Amino acid sequence: MGSTVLLNEIPYYIPATSVTVLQLDSQAVNMVTAVAGYIPLTVIDTSSLTFNAGDLHETITEYTTTDDVFQEGFIQTLYIQYTGTITPGARYAFNPTVGSSNSTVIGSSIVAQSNGANALPPGPYFISTSGAIHQAYRLYSDFQGAFTQPLIPSSNGSYAALPAAISGIESPAIAVPSRLYYTVTPEQPLAGIRLGVKDIYDISGVKTSNGNRAYYALYPPRNETAVAVQRLIDAGAVIVGKMKTSQFANGEQATADWVDYHSPFNPRGDGYQDPSSSSSGPGAGAGTYPWLDLTIGSDTGGSVRGPSQVQGLFGNRPTHGLVELTGVMPLAPELDTAGFLCRDPSIWAAAARVLYADLEFYNEYPKSIQTLGFPTSASTESNGIILDFLTKLETFLAANTTTVNITTSWADTRPASAPSSLNELLNLTYPILISQEQTKLVRDPFFADYAAVHDGRLPFVDPAPLVRWAFGDSYPESTLAEAVTNKTIFMDWFNSNILTNDSTTCSDSLLLYVGSTAASVNYRNQYIDPPRVPFGFSTGRISVFTEVPDMVVPIGQASYFSNITNHTEFLPVTVDFMAARGCDGMIFQLVEDLRAAGIVNGTQAGQTIYGGEVLF
């Protein structure tokens, strides 16, 4: 089960399984103070055979700066490894000294550089008096309610629920390992990246809830991890937990629609804005917690982009079909995608290179920008930020900008047999796809399995999925094929007329639309109309129907007056980038280059995109 301890009032989890056993100086061990039967220990790597107090000071400063798990309580005891170059057969003396510091060296060793795999990764540990070394996991409170299950690695590549908690009503606790344990390599470019996973992805050894209590209770832990998640694990990512989804990944409003589980809290502004859905937990977690590096969600109709927009995160709906979705709950396979939510565009791009393994990255960019629904004047603070960003982007790309109206362009250049109105063509397309596909793939087998165990009873399901499923039931099965046909008609037209591929820049142009502004206020403490069927065509559905990449980029924040705090607060301003199908890598690289040029910046966790304590 492991143990939970406090070290300088900071909670830690100590796994029951040790990583190795060391031969220690027993006299030195007797001189230090144990915490709940364990001795805090720092393992240090050095390339100096004359390690001294000055080296110790530099090392501790580096560890403290780079790792949130490490703290001064771990330096009371030290184990120092020489990992520098040695000559085979030569004899070496390695007797590190730490001067008059308060640290005690309880062991040291020489580890040949050529056999570095034998070295214990540096960082904080807990050691038993018998010499068993255990990793140190710092415990953080999930005070925004973003997670469904905190996890730790188990045996054979599987995971288990974290058997630890911390005091207060703001549990559960999430355990994170030291960043010092991990080294980025070409084989593991995500080494040590802390990852939260939307609870529609299967993880070996863990139950999947899909946001529904009955579903979680009915089915056993999964035997395999979803393909997409396994790719990230293989690249070194560290799963810290599963994160909340609105039920069966259907769109839900906080407070009004969430019944089985409480909607996570959006940290931005007054703290009582809707977090958007369905990747609500991944969005709230990435926006709140500096100790969480990356989250993976899904986007069928906006479920990554919405949470990314309202919480000021980099988020992407990829080109459809870029990654296999085996082991992921479907909403509509024709529309489902796996995407990230992240504060750091460099981590975002690194994760994309892993997940979308065949994606080509470009470093030449289109000279044409199309804007959709952009402001025409700086009439508001948000509009000024958007237009200023557009000017900088134009200058950076040496590009020309034109305004595009999709509905007008369609009416003028549509296929001869197609209706002139996009709403007429696509009004039923999205709701039919998500309802008829999910009833067939998820609802019907779930209801049958539940009834078999519970004497024919039905399980509870939130109102939003029920409304949509009932809508799908009201149409004949043949409507599904019609919906796919209409989607394909629009997709083929769009990919031939609006965003086309280019051999040099991948996409002939970029298409930009406004993601979120300070006008995107959506308080969670309001009663709204019952959930409805998501009819119609909108800007956010262009990429859904056309299978092109659609990526959220935070560009600033603007003020609004909160009726919660009776105070001026700030909400993110974001712009969405779209490009031709398969051109995700071009956008990822462009955003990194824009960051290098100071036009785009990473965002921070907290009340604003620049940080700050989250309001309660």
Side-chain angles (χ1 to χ4, degrees):
M1 291 292 291
S3 303
T4 303
V5 301
L6 285 176
L7 181 61
N8 290 338
E9 303 305 314
I10 296 175
Y12 289 87
Y13 171 69
I14 305 173
T17 304
S18 63
V19 294
T20 191
V21 177
L22 297 177
Q23 296 298 317
L24 305 176
D25 181 334
S26 58
Q27 183 176 358
V29 169
N30 292 333
M31 296 172 59
V32 297
T33 303
V35 177
Y38 292 93
I39 300 169
L41 169 74
T42 297
V43 173
I44 294 174
D45 282 354
T46 180
S47 58
S48 172
L49 287 168
T50 58
F51 186 91
N52 57 35
D55 298 319
L56 175 63
H57 176 75
E58 290 182 7
T59 301
I60 297 308
T61 299
E62 176 190 350
Y63 286 6
T64 303
T65 302
T66 59
D67 184 33
D68 57 334
V69 177
F70 181 81
Q71 54 140 305
E72 67 175 16
F74 285 101
I75 65 174
Q76 63 171 296
T77 54
L78 308 174
Y79 186 87
I80 305 174
Q81 303 172 128
Y82 174 74
T83 55
T85 303
I86 64 172
T87 302
R91 298 174 64 89
Y92 292 87
F94 180 49
N95 297 299
T97 61
V98 294
S100 59
S101 72
N102 294 323
S103 303
T104 300
V105 178
I106 60 172
S108 61
S109 64
I110 294 177
V111 182
Q113 191 177 51
S114 61
N115 192 28
N118 290 330
L120 188 63
Y125 293 86
F126 289 95
I127 184 169
S128 70
T129 53
S130 64
I133 302 288
H134 300 257
Q135 288 186 329
Y137 283 76
R138 181 170 177 174
L139 295 176
Y140 284 103
S141 171
D142 176 27
F143 57 84
Q144 293 293 89
F147 286 83
T148 55
Q149 299 181 82
L151 302 176
I152 54 169
S154 186
S155 59
N156 301 319
S158 64
Y159 287 77
L162 172 71
I166 53 180
S167 61
I169 63 172
E170 297 165 352
S171 293
I174 309 297
V176 301
S178 169
R179 298 188 185 279
L180 298 170
Y181 300 156
Y182 304 94
T183 302
V184 171
T185 65
E187 296 75 27
Q188 291 209 314
L190 302 182
I193 292 295
R194 298 165 181 169
L195 173 68
V197 178
K198 183 177 181 178
D199 199 4
I200 66 169
Y201 289 83
D202 291 345
I203 296 177
S204 178
V206 181
K207 288 188 172 190
T208 297
S209 79
N210 295 329
N212 181 274
R213 294 169 68 234
Y215 191 97
Y216 181 86
L218 181 63
Y219 294 108
R222 299 303 200 232
N223 294 321
E224 295 185 12
T225 295
V227 171
V229 176
Q230 190 61 53
R231 283 191 186 179
L232 302 174
I233 295 170
D234 292 343
V238 179
I239 294 178
V240 298
K242 295 189 102 179
M243 308 191 78
K244 286 181 182 175
T245 174
S246 53
Q247 199 164 92
F248 297 109
N250 283 264
E252 293 184 312
Q253 291 282 319
T255 304
D257 298 330
W258 291 66
V259 180
D260 263 358
Y261 297 102
H262 198 50
S263 172
F265 285 84
N266 180 342
R268 307 305 192 186
D270 52 40
Y272 280 83
Q273 298 298 306
D274 192 286
S276 191
S277 61
S278 62
S279 303
S280 310
T288 303
Y289 304 132
W291 44 264
L292 182 63
D293 303 318
L294 178 72
T295 61
I296 183 170
S298 64
D299 192 306
T300 301
S303 294
V304 164
R305 289 166 292 151
S308 296
Q309 290 162 354
V310 301
Q311 275 142 146
L313 303 168
F314 295 88
N316 68 295
R317 174 190 172 87
T319 295
H320 186 265
L322 272 189
V323 64
E324 182 183 339
L325 295 180
T326 300
V328 186
M329 183 215 67
L331 186 52
E334 299 89 345
L335 309 177
D336 294 341
T337 63
F340 297 110
L341 304 90
C342 187
R343 299 182 304 276
D344 186 330
S346 295
I347 294 176
W348 190 41
R353 291 178 186 271
V354 170
L355 186 60
Y356 316 123
D358 298 326
L359 193 63
E360 185 174 355
F361 279 64
Y362 289 73
N363 54 17
E364 292 190 56
Y365 306 118
K367 300 297 183 184
S368 172
I369 301 171
Q370 301 181 75
T371 57
L372 181 60
F374 257 51
T376 56
S377 68
S379 56
T380 66
E381 184 182 5
S382 295
N383 287 352
I385 292 170
I386 292 165
L387 293 176
D388 179 62
F389 172 76
L390 179 60
T391 298
K392 292 177 179 177
L393 180 63
E394 289 172 329
T395 301
F396 181 83
L397 295 175
N400 296 315
T401 298
T402 58
T403 300
V404 64
N405 185 307
I406 299 297
T407 56
T408 300
S409 296
W410 167 263
D412 292 342
T413 63
R414 72 189 188 280
S417 60
S420 60
S421 167
L422 276 177
N423 244 352
E424 183 180 346
L425 177 73
L426 298 172
N427 188 49
L428 295 181
T429 301
Y430 182 75
I432 286 294
L433 283 170
I434 64 169
S435 61
Q436 292 199 351
E437 288 286 35
Q438 193 169 60
T439 55
K440 174 177 59 179
L441 298 172
V442 177
R443 184 199 65 181
D444 292 350
F446 170 42
F447 279 16
D449 292 344
Y450 189 90
V453 174
H454 295 286
D455 194 27
R457 290 179 172 86
L458 289 174
F460 175 83
V461 174
D462 280 357
L466 286 179
V467 165
R468 297 174 182 198
W469 294 345
F471 167 79
D473 290 341
S474 70
Y475 282 80
E477 291 183 7
S478 60
T479 315
L480 181 62
E482 182 181 344
V484 172
T485 297
N486 289 345
K487 170 192 173 298
T488 304
I489 291 171
F490 178 65
M491 177 178 67
D492 291 345
W493 170 84
F494 184 90
N495 294 341
S496 299
N497 291 272
I498 305 299
L499 289 174
T500 61
N501 288 106
D502 182 272
S503 60
T504 302
T505 61
C506 191
S507 180
D508 69 327
S509 65
L510 293 166
L511 177 58
L512 273 59
Y513 68 91
V514 177
S516 59
T517 69
S520 306
V521 175
N522 185 12
Y523 295 105
R524 63 184 290 149
N525 65 327
Q526 57 186 344
Y527 294 100
I528 57 177
D529 294 332
R532 294 172 292 179
V533 176
F535 293 111
F537 171 79
S538 64
T539 299
R541 291 218 179 127
I542 292 174
S543 58
V544 174
F545 294 139
T546 62
E547 303 186 359
V548 302
D550 186 341
M551 305 193 186
V552 180
V553 177
I555 60 171
Q557 64 180 22
S559 60
Y560 74 104
F561 191 81
S562 167
N563 67 22
I564 301 291
T565 64
N566 200 35
H567 197 281
T568 297
E569 309 293 357
F570 294 88
L571 290 177
V573 178
T574 64
V575 168
D576 277 55
F577 281 60
M578 295 169 60
R581 198 176 193 282
C583 296
D584 311 55
M586 182 268 288
I587 303 179
F588 280 117
Q589 188 62 57
L590 173 58
V591 172
E592 287 206 89
D593 288 348
L594 291 173
R595 184 188 197 183
I599 298 172
V600 165
N601 296 295
T603 59
Q604 302 297 314
Q607 185 193 7
T608 77
I609 64 169
Y610 304 117
E613 187 174 349
V614 175
L615 293 175
F616 289 91

